Amino acid sequence: LGSAGLHFDDLNKLRVLEPEVAAQTAQLREECRAFVDKTAEFQKIVGSLIELVDQLAKAAESEKMKAIGARNLLKSIAKQREAQEQQLQALIAEKKMQLERYRIEYETLCKIEADQNEFIDQFIFQK
């Protein structure tokens, strides 16, 4: 029977493959199943890792956008303060000019008062 390619297995059943080749085939099948199971587990782990990395990327992008917004807001506030400072400087200059006009007017009025008092004094002395 062996020369015809027929063999008996452990259970005395007639087989086409040699018992040793059948055992190797069965072992290879088990190793392949284990490999496929490990590959599936690896794919599951990689999938969850990719999902986690995507979540972290979204969170990082969100924080990046918040930081950009905060930076832009800070620049805007700085520009507003600069504009406000310029307005206040202009107002100070205007008030200083007004103060100078009032001082000159006061000095002029003081001279007029002194002249009028002198005129009154001379008028009183003449009578």
Side-chain angles (χ1 to χ4, degrees), residues 4-61:
L6 299 174
H7 305 282
F8 288 103
D9 65 2
D10 294 339
L11 301 174
N12 291 324
K13 290 187 178 183
L14 189 60
R15 302 285 179 189
V16 176
L17 290 176
E18 294 179 22
E20 185 178 311
V21 173
Q24 288 176 352
T25 304
Q27 182 181 359
L28 181 60
R29 183 181 309 122
E30 290 302 317
E31 288 176 5
C32 287
R33 281 187 187 140
F35 178 76
V36 167
D37 291 344
K38 286 181 181 180
T39 303
E41 183 179 344
F42 178 74
Q43 286 179 340
K44 189 189 306 182
I45 290 170
V46 168
S48 65
L49 179 63
I50 288 172
E51 187 177 312
L52 179 63
V53 169
D54 285 343
Q55 289 174 355
L56 290 174
K58 287 178 185 176
E61 187 67 25

Side-chain angles (χ1 to χ4, degrees), residues 65-81:
M65 294 307 286
K66 285 180 185 177
I68 289 172
R71 183 178 60 198
N72 289 344
L73 179 63
L74 186 61
K75 284 180 182 178
S76 173
I77 290 172
K79 286 181 182 179
Q80 286 176 347
R81 284 189 179 171

